[in-house]
Amino acid sequence: MIRHATLITALALLLIGGSAFGQGIYLEHVDGLDAEGKITDGAMLTFHMRVVGSAANHKLLNNGFTFSSDGLTWGDVSGEFNPAYPWDDWFDFVKKINYWCDGSGEDTVGIGLLSMFGDGLPANFNDVAFSFTIGPVANSSYSMLTLDSSWYPPSNPWMWDIVDINVA
């Protein structure tokens, strides 16, 4: 029997903290799967990431994600912020998506957002904030794809900082 690749998501590791209803980043949904929810060769997969904020604004967000597989390969990795929101106004100092990718094994994508004068991520934000696309994929038979949280350079740890509270 021929098996198609299945998508494994490490949702527990994608949580920044709190309960399933608390502050964090969650996989909202994946576009590009077939009707059975499987990965097929040639597919472009887009991972939509929901950000759930707390009751305070966040002026610094630094989060990394790793795509890894035991055989599946992909041609490219790209990312974008949800264009429905004024990211450049909220994060006036740094708004960056960084890539460390070669299309196989483990590829890392980092999100860096920093505000000096802007308000940062609004309090109680709860929507898809950014997405990553990989593909076209190949070698999907008998392969597994994992999306996981990841440290990435230069600062390494996942970080959300409320400047007004944590900095004197």
Side-chain angles (χ1 to χ4, degrees), residues 70-157:
D70 59 352
L72 189 73
T73 59
W74 44 92
D76 193 23
V77 177
S78 63
E80 69 175 347
F81 292 97
N82 185 340
Y85 296 103
W87 298 101
D88 290 329
D89 294 336
W90 293 347
F91 296 96
D92 57 330
F93 192 63
V94 174
K95 183 190 93 173
K96 182 80 172 155
I97 300 177
N98 298 298
Y99 305 95
W100 295 269
C101 305
D102 64 6
S104 65
E106 291 186 5
D107 283 354
T108 302
V109 177
I111 299 291
L113 297 164
L114 177 61
S115 178
M116 285 189 76
F117 303 108
D119 291 332
L121 186 72
N124 301 309
F125 184 89
N126 186 355
D127 199 358
V128 172
F130 47 87
S131 60
F132 308 115
T133 300
I134 66 170
V137 297
N139 304 317
S140 62
S141 295
Y142 304 103
S143 294
M144 180 182 351
L145 176 65
T146 303
L147 171 63
D148 199 353
S149 60
S150 173
W151 288 18
Y152 75 96
S155 61
N156 290 326

